[in-house]
Amino acid sequence: MTQSQKKGLFYGWIIVMTAFTVIFLHLSIRGSFAVFLKPMGKDLGWSTAKVSIGLSLFMLCYGITAFFAGRSVDKFGPRRVMFLHGVLMGLGLILSSYAVEPWQFYLTYGIMGGIGAGALFVPPTVMVRKWFVKDMGKALGFAVSGAGLGFFVAPIASMYLIEIVSWQFAMKVFGLIIMLGVALATVFMRGKPEDMGLKPFGYEEAKLETHGKTKAASTAEVFWSLKEALHTPAFWTIAIMWFCSNFAEYIVFSHSVNYVVTDRGFDLKTATYIFSLVGLCFLICGPLGGSIADKLGTKYNDEFKGRKVVITSCYIIACLASAWLSHVKTPGMYLVYALIFGIPFGTYIPSVAAYVGTTFGAKSMGAIWGLTTALGVAGGAGLGPYVGGYLRDITGNYQASIWLACAVYALTAILCFAVKKPCKVPVESSKMEEKAVPVE
């Protein structure tokens, strides 16, 4: 049975909402770290770099685990995998609230939290990818915009919890919410539409686009195994691009609040409210950017080219926003930064996942996107927070860190533009070896 034969809402949009929820919960933790940085350092007597190592370890473990989680979802489905990781992440956050020594924080927040988070971004995006042929960018954009809501809400919530109670209490609250929220979301998850007797959204429409010749031509999709993808320049260019993207992002994103509070003398509350606007931009631009990429792909008759244009443009704007950040002296200037950075930030994150899916197909996307994340996030996002904090400690300000991020964003744009889609004989998406047949 296909989705057109079942009345009501296509279940793929329920899948999008479950992915949105999981990503919202997970990214709330990463988005609020910038607010925890100063209070934790002050309370525990730790340097900026020492606190930042916690996030670096978190991202390192997250990136490495994402590869294995992606492969696990391909084999076992998303429900059990995400449930177990949600419990582990929540437990890690709760235990981190009791840390009094750096190693305790690194073990609980960095390692336990990071391993738990490893299944809370790649698997949801892979799951959504498998449910959609049409409007893939829009669907992924809506799902990943959960990160924007997390970046918008969590900094403000954590600021008030820290101010009223303590940073330890805020960690406990976030940990409990993560465990319960992810558990509830997994109840509604299904790994692929075939599990419910459905086809991916847009499958039938694509199949009927015959171009006057064949009935299967337009649903032909290229499928690459992980082993095959590893032998292509495209995979390694995207992986290095994602490394650079995360490295630059986690310098400016995880330290920008501390930068304007410490180096520019802003009030923490003012800085946090402005910083949260990055998340609001993400929330709006996630689905909007995905839709633009879809439309450009239709315009160029090439999904790959449409996503390349969008992502490259976003990295150029992020580079300019980072340069602007170095000159910020007033809350108004920081507000401009939040808007200029938030728009491309909210667009390129979901678009890169779709970029990988467009390049290598849906069949092994869990493994391919998982390894891309492992190389890009474990390396780039793992180094970014520590390098940003270390440069701040040895130079006395954040200028070196910000300009390093600016330069790396420029390199990221060049790498994105340089990606060449590998060539392979397309395969009919409904049957991997079915050839196009004449229309009767």
Side-chain angles (χ1 to χ4, degrees), residues 7 10 64 117 119 168 227 243 251 254 322 336 353 356 431:
K7 304 301 181 182
F10 175 57
I64 293 171
Q168 291 93 338
K227 184 177 180 180
F243 172 94
I251 290 176
S254 62
S322 299
V336 172
V356 172
K431 295 180 181 179

Side-chain angles (χ1 to χ4, degrees), residues 86-102:
V87 170
L88 182 60
M89 183 179 182
L91 184 61
L93 294 174
I94 292 171
L95 291 177
S96 71
S97 69
Y98 296 100
V100 292
E101 297 291 337

Side-chain angles (χ1 to χ4, degrees), residues 180-191:
L180 295 177
V182 173
L184 180 62
T186 57
V187 172
F188 301 96
M189 289 179 182
R190 301 294 184 274

Side-chain angles (χ1 to χ4, degrees), residues 259-280:
Y259 161 62
V260 296
V261 171
T262 305
D263 290 9
R264 300 306 193 195
F266 288 18
D267 174 69
L268 177 60
K269 187 173 291 188
T270 300
T272 302
Y273 276 122
I274 295 173
F275 175 75
S276 69
L277 293 177
V278 173
L280 184 60

Side-chain angles (χ1 to χ4, degrees), residues 109-305:
Y109 184 95
I111 297 176
M112 289 181 64
I115 292 173
L120 303 183
F121 184 79
V122 172
T125 54
V126 171
M127 183 175 61
V128 171
R129 170 67 180 89
K130 290 184 177 182
W131 277 81
F132 288 84
V133 172
K134 181 182 178 183
D135 292 340
M136 177 180 63
K138 182 191 293 184
L140 278 170
F142 274 116
V144 179
S145 68
L149 184 61
F151 291 149
F152 178 56
V153 173
I156 297 173
S158 58
M159 176 187 66
Y160 278 108
L161 284 172
I162 292 168
E163 186 180 80
I164 297 170
V165 190
S166 66
W167 68 266
Q168 291 93 338
F169 183 81
M171 282 288 189
K172 290 184 179 73
V173 170
F174 283 147
L176 185 61
I177 290 174
I178 284 284
M179 285 195 286
L180 295 177
V182 173
L184 180 62
T186 57
V187 172
F188 301 96
M189 289 179 182
R190 301 294 184 274
K192 53 186 184 294
E194 289 77 9
D195 293 342
M196 298 182 68
L198 299 170
K199 293 293 184 182
F201 184 72
Y203 175 86
E204 293 178 63
E205 294 90 332
K207 196 167 184 176
L208 291 172
E209 292 175 5
T210 64
H211 301 290
K213 296 290 183 182
T214 64
K215 81 173 184 179
S218 64
T219 57
E221 184 173 5
V222 176
F223 295 101
W224 295 78
S225 68
L226 175 62
K227 184 177 180 180
E228 291 171 331
L230 288 172
H231 288 86
T232 65
F235 174 84
W236 294 105
T237 306
I238 292 174
I240 296 170
M241 177 198 83
W242 198 225
F243 172 94
C244 293
S245 173
N246 282 277
F247 180 77
E249 172 190 320
Y250 271 84
I251 290 176
V252 294
F253 187 73
S254 62
H255 286 280
S256 71
V257 171
N258 198 45
Y259 161 62
V260 296
V261 171
T262 305
D263 290 9
R264 300 306 193 195
F266 288 18
D267 174 69
L268 177 60
K269 187 173 291 188
T270 300
T272 302
Y273 276 122
I274 295 173
F275 175 75
S276 69
L277 293 177
V278 173
L280 184 60
C281 291
F282 196 136
L283 183 63
I284 296 169
C285 294
L288 181 61
S291 297
I292 291 172
D294 287 337
K295 290 178 181 179
L296 283 177
T298 301
K299 178 181 178 180
Y300 297 138
N301 197 28
D302 185 344
E303 286 186 69
F304 177 81
K305 183 178 179 181

